[in-house]
Amino acid sequence: MQSNKISLKQFIQYFKIAVTGKEQEFTTGSIRRAVFMLSIPMILEMLMESIFAIVDIMYVSQVSVNAVATIGLTESVITLVYAVAIGLSMAATAVVARRVGETDIKGASNAAVQVIFLGVFVAAIISVIGIIYPKEILSLMGAEPDLIAEGYGYTQVLLGGNVTIMLLFLINAIFRGAGDASVAMWTLILSNGLNIILDPIFIFGFGPIPAYGVEGAAIATTIGRGTAVLFQLIILFYGFSKIKIAVKDLVLRVGIMMNLIKVSLGGIGQFLIGTSSWVFLMRIMSDFGSEVLAGYTIAIRVMMFTLMPAWGMSNAAATLVGQNLGAKKPERAEKSVWKTGKYSAIFMGLVSIIYLVFAPQIILFFNATPDVVKYGSLCLRVIAAGYIFYGYGMVVINAFNGAGDTKTPTYINFVCFWLLQLPFAYVMAITLDFGPSGVFWAITLAEVLIAVIAIIWFKKGNWKRVEV
């Protein structure tokens, strides 16, 4: 009987295969190996995004307070771009994975072209608005005149060049659906690596390049992402990926496009429901003062890092479900989800133990203010109490998306976030005077319910019959 244990040598070998993308067959063989091969590049991809976000804000914070505020306000607006990009990327992953599972590579390539057309169309509309009305956008967000004068260039460049954000998201979603997770990873490494190098050059100036201040951060981001998009297009057109596009494929196919729009609406809804609920929770937390808010913010940022492996595994589950449904192997698709969910829950369980035991020490690493440490560690501990459910729930929710059933997660999110989490948080924190802990328990309760409802619904098996 073969042992399930993996030696360090095997782990390193598997890791190399995962990041080089040498293995692309996920509808046969070991499910555990498939999860590993898909998860590792996705985890590294998200790690690069997080590192860039920290480095970017570190540079910009040296410019001025207004510069940091400009980024915050612009990112609030660009959330709408992310909503569309994430919704379309869910549809892209589901449709491409299904076609690849059916061994219909031509169909997958056709879907990829329509996704790119849609992305360019939406981005063009946003670009026009961003280029013409950057000052008005910042004013609408409540910016003071001096902030608008200093920061409108950042808003103008970032929104004007938002096609780079859109296409980076969408083409990486195509690669993931095809099982080329390593290509998506290397694309983001190129994008964010360039961004980190160019940031100080354009922000502070270097040689003949003048100091653009906060606008320089937007220029660096657009150049970095634009270069990565060119890299993606070279791969698509010159056949280094499973998905190959020729010039003759650049034809509008209304049927495929309408199908992608239909599937993406649920994904857009999921993102907007989740994002808006976090905004309302932040508003409730702000009533308890800046120190409590700082503790909450630090705790959430810490959690984001430890969520990356779970996100990677949930994205792997989406690809596995889509490809196996396409290969007419619904049982293997379901088994992939239960196995991935188990691995995610085990990882999140281990992390939760660390948070429960060392929460104050973790928050102290960022800030030593007593109330910041008190409420930050309380937040870590309360939310960590539901981490196992969170890990499992993320995988199952994304499995629906991978099957092309983006509506079910939207309904689940609507019920758990808007109908339960927000009212519960307000009543517990404000009405019943439980303070910040009321918000923390609302988050945990909602995540536990999402997992439970998702698992019950997933077991019904309706997702196996969704056509995309």
Side-chain angles (χ1 to χ4, degrees):
M1 184 176 174
Q2 193 177 4
S3 171
N4 282 328
K5 290 183 179 178
I6 297 178
S7 67
L8 179 61
K9 188 177 178 181
Q10 280 178 307
F11 177 85
I12 294 169
Q13 184 186 357
Y14 285 0
F15 186 88
K16 284 179 180 175
I17 294 169
V19 297
T20 53
K22 288 179 181 175
E23 185 161 324
Q24 295 186 340
E25 176 51 58
F26 303 114
T27 57
T28 58
S30 166
I31 291 173
R32 184 174 66 172
R33 183 183 170 103
V35 171
F36 185 88
M37 293 299 168
L38 286 168
S39 298
I40 291 297
M42 293 177 187
I43 292 166
L44 293 174
E45 192 182 329
M46 289 167 185
L47 183 64
M48 270 307 293
E49 278 289 282
S50 298
I51 291 169
F52 160 66
I54 290 168
V55 173
D56 192 51
I57 204 74
M58 184 181 75
Y59 283 133
V60 172
S61 63
Q62 294 175 40
V63 177
S64 68
V65 173
N66 275 348
V68 177
T70 299
I71 287 183
L73 292 176
T74 305
E75 283 187 348
S76 299
V77 175
I78 220 157
T79 298
L80 296 173
V81 180
Y82 285 135
V84 176
I86 287 170
L88 282 172
S89 70
M90 285 181 185
T93 297
V95 174
V96 170
R98 188 71 69 94
R99 298 293 91 83
V100 168
E102 294 166 352
T103 63
D104 179 11
I105 303 301
K106 180 69 176 170
S109 299
N110 288 341
V113 170
Q114 303 314 303
V115 167
I116 292 169
F117 280 166
L118 270 171
V120 170
F121 175 72
V122 173
I125 296 170
I126 296 165
S127 287
V128 170
I129 297 168
I131 291 168
I132 298 173
Y133 302 110
K135 293 179 180 179
E136 289 80 358
I137 288 168
L138 288 174
S139 179
L140 195 65
M141 293 299 294
E144 298 292 327
D146 61 328
L147 187 151
I148 294 170
E150 182 181 344
Y152 82 91
Y154 176 89
T155 307
Q156 192 172 46
V157 172
L158 206 64
L159 288 177
N162 82 92
V163 68
T164 60
I165 300 171
M166 188 73 76
L167 290 184
L168 196 61
F169 258 98
L170 297 184
I171 300 175
N172 268 358
I174 292 164
F175 289 142
R176 287 191 209 103
D180 292 326
S182 66
V183 178
M185 176 196 74
W186 288 113
T187 299
L188 269 191
I189 287 174
L190 172 63
S191 167
N192 292 333
L194 261 178
N195 214 331
I196 289 168
I197 294 166
L198 294 175
D199 247 358
I201 293 173
F202 283 95
I203 292 171
F204 307 114
F206 183 78
I209 299 170
Y212 286 97
V214 66
E215 186 180 342
I219 294 169
T221 298
T222 304
I223 292 172
R225 285 175 172 160
T227 306
V229 169
L230 287 175
F231 175 68
Q232 289 174 321
L233 292 172
I234 289 168
I235 291 170
L236 283 175
F237 278 96
Y238 290 93
F240 307 136
S241 164
K242 191 176 285 185
I243 304 295
K244 295 174 177 63
I245 295 174
V247 175
K248 62 182 173 62
D249 296 323
L250 300 178
V251 178
L252 193 67
R253 291 178 169 86
V254 178
I256 296 173
M257 187 171 282
M258 294 310 293
N259 182 45
L260 284 163
I261 292 170
K262 184 185 75 175
V263 177
S264 70
L265 290 176
I268 294 169
Q270 284 174 55
F271 183 81
L272 290 178
I273 289 167
T275 304
S276 59
S277 69
W278 280 106
V279 170
F280 283 116
L281 288 178
M282 190 67 84
R283 176 65 189 84
I284 294 171
M285 289 298 296
S286 66
D287 283 352
F288 301 108
S290 59
E291 290 179 350
V292 174
L293 192 60
Y296 173 69
T297 304
I298 290 169
I300 296 300
R301 289 287 171 92
V302 169
M303 286 176 168
M304 289 301 174
F305 268 101
T306 52
L307 284 175
M308 281 185 291
W311 273 329
M313 284 184 265
S314 69
N315 283 333
T319 298
L320 287 169
V321 166
Q323 289 198 8
N324 282 294
L325 285 179
K328 302 291 186 286
K329 295 180 178 179
E331 290 75 23
R332 180 179 167 86
E334 186 171 0
K335 195 175 178 184
S336 298
V337 175
W338 298 133
K339 280 205 170 191
T340 311
K342 183 181 78 173
Y343 301 146
S344 181
I346 290 169
F347 170 78
M348 296 293 266
L350 293 172
V351 172
S352 69
I353 293 168
I354 295 169
Y355 285 165
L356 290 168
V357 176
F358 299 109
Q361 290 86 342
I362 292 169
I363 302 298
L364 269 168
F365 182 78
F366 295 93
N367 194 293
T369 308
D371 271 357
V372 172
V373 175
K374 177 184 174 182
Y375 289 103
S377 55
L378 178 65
C379 179
L380 273 181
R381 283 172 169 160
V382 171
I383 296 178
Y387 243 34
I388 291 174
F389 290 91
Y390 201 1
Y392 223 118
M394 284 171 73
V395 169
V396 178
I397 287 288
N398 231 17
F400 283 113
N401 291 327
D405 180 7
T406 54
K407 288 183 180 177
T408 297
T410 305
Y411 298 147
I412 294 172
N413 282 359
F414 177 76
V415 170
C416 294
F417 285 146
W418 281 7
L419 299 188
L420 181 105
Q421 185 188 72
L422 294 179
F424 185 85
Y426 185 85
V427 170
M428 290 291 286
I430 308 295
T431 310
L432 298 180
D433 205 23
F434 278 90
S437 62
V439 174
F440 306 152
W441 280 112
I443 294 169
T444 301
L445 180 64
E447 296 301 345
V448 169
L449 266 177
I450 285 172
V452 171
I453 295 170
I455 289 167
I456 291 169
W457 218 260
F458 190 78
K459 282 185 172 180
K460 290 178 182 291
N462 296 334
W463 55 273
K464 295 177 185 176
R465 294 177 285 280
V466 174
E467 292 296 325
V468 295

